[in-house]
Amino acid sequence: MENVTGEGISDQIERFQTQLQMDGRGRKHRILMVSDFFFPNFGGVESHIYYLSQCLLKLGHKVIVMTHAYGNRSGVRYVTGGLKVYYVPWKPFLMQNTLPTLFLTFPIVRTILIREKISVVHGHQAFSTLCHEALMHARTMGKENTVLRSGISPEKVFMVPNAVDTAMFTPSPDRLSCDEIVIVVISRLVYRKGADLLVEVIPEVCRLFPKVRFIVGGDGPKRVRIEEMREKFSLQDRVEMLGAVPHAQVRSVLISEAFCIAILEAASCGLLTVSTRVGGVPEVLPDDMVVLAEPAPEDMVRAVRKAIDMLPGIDPQVMHLRMKKLYSWDDVAKRTEIVYDRAMQSPQTDLLERLPRCGAWAGKLFCLVMIINYLLWCLLEYLQPTEGIEEVPDIRPVHARLESVDDTCETQGKGI
């Protein structure tokens, strides 16, 4: 979610710590994470859902993931820590997104919500069709979701940052030399990620700085344009294309480089970061750990020049320790837990009260969609009543079982 309170990172951390002390452990939730993007696909959203889910399981919550089928991977699967994943038999339509249908996903979403006794639906990625449809269906059924509602009071909006596995992304023990500067770009090579900017930025940076070379990790439709640029400017020896990089191998790519355009993992490795000033990016890192630029080639080149000048003053170990304090998954899970608690405690807003926020025409269209969705829900209840859907028995996650065994052994040890 976006931060609309204007707080700094340290202020936000202090506010969440105070809320944690006030709220205590709170209630245990049954959470459905929904997104078109999840493993075996690689990316930031996929990693965020996985790590957040694992930490929420450790806190005692029930967490289920719902995504579309990937190739032959369909049905119910279990991943590390007992995390249950529904790969619904819905094929991706474009860029791993399912075809927008509005209503056709309702039967299977309803079944999952009832079977798993879900209380909170958490949608991920604004571009995910499955995410938005699941949130709409959940709202029709009276479930709470954590999607940001426009027009609400800033006091009700929380900014929960992303996190990084600092144990996995550590700096190189050796001080990097500035004789040769390597810039790493690890991202899906799509328009939304700014891949088109690279086509104009890379040749100019290579012209201005003879000791700079690029490593580009990632795949996507814009990869062809970058390869064409490399051929056009004869930069084969200065621009290396790695293709898709599994998340487990990202550190091995980052650790030997000077600075990077992959934000949190790079900073955890002690690398200076360059990024565009779009969305929530300016709020991710402190100003001395990132160089921001407008999404224009000229400003990106300026930012790269500034970053090169800053390199001699960067201490990778100090940067890593700062990241370790600021961005831990356990902290993100606890902050998210607070958002769930507040969402469950907030009063239900009537549909008629929400319609004016959507605008004159969009509000009427949205009202029509919700009416149809409600009638479909009534039809589904008639054809397959809730009482006829078998509820899944709760199975304690691996973490909880291991902790229980440890407690039992400790008690037995004291009794000996």
Side-chain angles (χ1 to χ4, degrees), residues 1-3 9 12 15-16 157-161 283 335:
M1 294 185 179
E2 296 180 4
N3 175 25
I9 292 176
Q12 293 159 12
R15 183 163 69 97
F16 269 98
V157 179
F158 296 84
M159 196 288 288
V160 180
E283 300 167 359
R335 296 187 188 200

Side-chain angles (χ1 to χ4, degrees), residues 5-6 17 19 44 82-83 99 129 131 172 184 192 194 199 210 268 313 347 380 409:
T5 63
Q17 287 174 341
Q19 289 165 345
L83 178 61
L99 179 68
T129 304
C131 159
S172 170
V184 180
R192 179 169 59 86
V199 176
S268 184
L380 292 173
C409 293

Side-chain angles (χ1 to χ4, degrees), residues 205-278:
V205 171
C206 288
R207 183 184 68 82
L208 294 174
F209 305 99
K211 62 179 180 179
V212 168
R213 66 184 184 91
F214 284 82
I215 294 179
V216 181
D219 208 347
K222 297 297 182 179
R223 178 176 177 175
V224 175
R225 287 204 61 197
I226 297 176
E227 290 177 339
E228 289 175 349
M229 173 274 297
R230 186 173 64 164
E231 296 291 331
K232 177 180 178 180
F233 293 94
S234 301
L235 296 174
Q236 293 87 341
D237 59 332
R238 299 182 65 184
V239 180
E240 181 180 355
M241 303 290 293
L242 299 181
V245 180
H247 192 253
Q249 299 178 15
V250 171
R251 179 191 180 264
S252 62
V253 177
L254 294 176
I255 196 168
S256 61
E257 319 307 343
F259 70 97
C260 176
I261 312 180
I263 301 182
L264 290 179
E265 288 90 347
S268 184
C269 288
L271 308 182
L272 191 57
T273 305
V274 174
S275 184
T276 50
R277 191 181 282 105
V278 293

Side-chain angles (χ1 to χ4, degrees), residues 32-38 49 64-68 84-88 105 108-109 112 130 134:
L32 179 65
M33 304 283 190
V34 187
S35 180
D36 279 303
F37 308 99
F38 194 64
I49 296 173
I64 306 295
V65 176
M66 175 183 169
T67 187
H68 63 68
K84 188 176 184 179
V85 184
Y86 281 87
Y87 288 95
V88 299
T105 52
I108 194 165
V109 169
I112 293 174
L130 189 62

Side-chain angles (χ1 to χ4, degrees), residues 145-198:
N145 64 68
T146 60
V147 68
L148 181 64
R149 305 187 188 100
S150 60
I152 64 177
S153 171
E155 287 75 19
K156 297 182 180 180
V157 179
F158 296 84
M159 196 288 288
V160 180
N162 212 331
V164 61
D165 186 352
T166 53
M168 179 179 180
F169 293 92
T170 56
S172 170
D174 303 322
R175 184 79 179 185
L176 296 177
S177 172
C178 290
D179 294 337
E180 181 186 44
I181 298 175
V182 182
I183 303 177
V184 180
V185 182
I186 296 186
S187 171
R188 280 198 291 266
L189 301 180
V190 296
Y191 173 79
R192 179 169 59 86
K193 295 288 186 176
D196 289 284
L197 286 174
L198 294 176

